[in-house]
Amino acid sequence: MSGRAQLMWDEAVTGYDFGPGHPMDPVRLGLTRSLVGAFGLDEELDVVAAKRAGDSTLRLVHREDYVAAVKAVSEDPASARGEYGLGTEDDPAFAGMHEVSALIAGQSVGAAEAVWRGDALHAVNFAGGLHHAMPGGASGFCIYNDAALAVARLLELGAERVAYVDVDVHHGDGVQAAFWEDPRVLTVSLHEHPRTLFPQTGWPEETGADGTAEGSAVNVALPAGTGDAGWLRAFHAVVPELLAEFRPQVLVTQHGADTHFDDPLAHLAVSLDAQRAVQVACHELAHEHAEGRWVALGGGGYAVVDVVPRSWTHLVAIAAGRPVEPAAPIPEAWRQEAYARTRQLAPGRMTDGRWPVEWRGWEEGYDPADRLDQAVLAARRAAFPLRGLLP
């Protein structure tokens, strides 16, 4: 097995562009790729461009009629009328939509293949993590569900246990739906409570299909306003114990950066430093429970200069085995590039000034009157007994 990590990248993924004013600005991808290069991380990685996912691969998750619909509006964007979720405010149709969406999916599938076959121990596709797309429809800025396709490809290659951990601020609903009845896949999502955020799913009571996959879905619905200490407490109170029980052969993680306190579309108050701490934890958990096999994806994140490039550069660096120190200054050339491309002033360091982030472990006890602890308890009580674990 190669000790080097793979970074999945094709410049053409920046064509995933819903148009001016849409929150999913592809500049966030270009700036991330540039910052990865500015820190010299290309020397520590194999940068690989995988081919576009073909129809047979897309059908591992998506219905044939939906793929046909995406192709049709990709050819003629003006024909989109909202069917299959295409041509909506969230998911406007654009020329070439099918091709670039399939390209992003191909990078995540390629990452999964590389890790499973031993070509790389870790593989990162920060353009991926489009976790809202459903088998039969687009949703929440997501056309094809590359995360679910990566997991499905692992199963097709022979994996018997794949764990998917999603720390985006929004519930990983599309991935959960794709494997709702499949006990080979454990989906764990930590997200803002569905009462206050799209897609209004991810309640702790959602635990997998009765009779076939009970306990294969775990949802931690965090109260709006949750900050670093609570977010890390919730992650560590749920994820490590589940992975120890499940013993995944591969760990797939989704690292949406929209938990950040500067993100314009949600209501958590997490810092870049806490995001980095969870990335470090996922890396360690992959080595502890999955022989190091780790596929890491991007996701949401709409503070496209201040947050996303820094967060995902930390992710790439951790996967590459050369973590960037939180206090490291950001190269001036990159800051100038960011200003030239967005007219926004870029941050000066790779930290929000909160490293090391402090949090209290669940084993130290909990407060049943605390809203964060109530969220953790709800998740543990709903799912843990179904896996033979104490709530």
Side-chain angles (χ1 to χ4, degrees):
M1 180 178 288
S2 169
R4 286 168 69 86
Q6 281 192 8
L7 173 62
M8 313 305 296
W9 178 256
D10 184 320
E11 191 72 32
V13 298
T14 60
Y16 192 81
D17 188 352
F18 291 112
H22 193 284
M24 189 77 120
D25 188 336
V27 74
R28 69 198 195 120
L29 301 179
L31 287 176
T32 300
R33 179 67 187 94
S34 181
L35 189 57
V36 166
F39 275 103
L41 294 172
D42 287 22
E43 299 169 15
E44 314 293 330
L45 294 152
D46 294 325
V47 181
V48 177
K51 66 181 188 298
R52 200 165 70 204
D55 287 4
S56 62
T57 297
L58 294 173
R59 286 200 297 269
L60 292 173
V61 167
H62 293 292
R63 294 201 321 247
E64 192 168 1
D65 59 316
Y66 173 57
V67 175
V70 176
K71 288 181 177 179
V73 301
S74 183
E75 288 282 334
D76 180 14
S79 69
R81 297 288 185 270
E83 295 92 350
Y84 295 98
L86 301 167
T88 61
E89 184 177 356
D90 274 2
D91 298 287
F94 60 90
M97 170 185 270
H98 164 74
E99 288 77 13
V100 70
S101 300
L103 183 65
I104 290 172
Q107 305 315 303
S108 292
V109 171
E113 292 172 344
V115 167
W116 183 253
R117 291 172 176 160
D119 297 334
L121 194 57
H122 312 323
V124 182
N125 175 26
F126 58 73
L130 305 178
H131 60 169
H132 294 308
M134 290 292 174
S139 177
F141 314 161
C142 305
I143 307 302
Y144 293 139
N145 196 320
D146 65 284
L149 287 163
V151 173
R153 181 65 174 133
L154 288 165
L155 298 177
E156 188 181 46
L157 290 171
E160 297 173 349
R161 294 180 309 282
V162 180
Y164 172 78
V165 176
D166 189 317
V167 297
D168 193 287
V169 78
H170 302 92
H171 176 226
D173 57 339
V175 184
Q176 177 180 287
F179 303 106
W180 185 250
E181 299 177 350
D182 195 333
R184 296 174 297 172
V185 181
L186 172 67
T187 63
V188 186
S189 180
L190 285 84
H191 47 266
E192 185 179 327
H193 201 286
R195 271 197 296 264
T196 53
L197 195 65
F198 174 91
Q200 281 80 51
T201 58
W203 299 79
E205 296 77 16
E206 298 170 31
T207 55
D210 291 346
T212 57
E214 293 171 301
S216 67
V218 183
N219 287 290
V220 187
L222 301 167
T226 296
D228 289 359
W231 194 61
L232 289 168
R233 176 169 166 80
F235 178 92
H236 287 282
V238 173
V239 176
E241 203 170 336
L242 287 168
L243 295 184
E245 183 275 332
F246 186 64
R247 297 179 299 110
Q249 292 161 296
V250 186
L251 177 62
V252 180
T253 57
Q254 196 269 21
H255 297 271
D258 43 9
T259 52
H260 195 273
F261 52 74
D262 275 344
D263 197 89
L265 299 188
H267 318 99
L268 294 192
V270 173
S271 72
L272 190 83
D273 301 282
Q275 291 177 349
R276 183 185 185 278
V278 160
Q279 295 164 3
V280 169
C282 288
H283 177 231
E284 292 173 349
L285 288 165
H287 280 280
E288 191 172 344
H289 300 297
E291 297 182 353
R293 287 186 285 263
W294 183 32
V295 176
L297 308 173
Y302 309 100
V304 299
V305 174
D306 282 354
V307 179
V308 175
R310 290 191 296 164
S311 186
W312 292 347
T313 296
H314 277 304
L315 178 66
V316 171
I318 290 161
R322 208 187 86 188
V324 173
E325 286 298 316
I330 292 176
E332 182 59 31
W334 183 87
R335 299 182 74 237
Q336 291 177 7
E337 177 190 349
Y339 183 76
R341 295 179 69 171
T342 66
R343 289 297 181 261
Q344 293 183 43
L345 293 174
R349 294 191 177 273
M350 291 292 285
T351 178
D352 284 332
R354 299 188 182 181
W355 190 268
V357 184
E358 296 184 358
W359 53 278
R360 193 167 63 89
W362 191 252
E363 66 280 356
E364 296 178 30
Y366 59 86
D367 178 359
D370 180 82
R371 291 175 67 222
L372 186 280
D373 285 3
Q374 288 171 0
V376 173
L377 275 171
R380 290 179 62 104
R381 285 172 174 162
F384 274 43
L386 298 173
R387 303 212 61 87
L389 298 171
L390 293 173

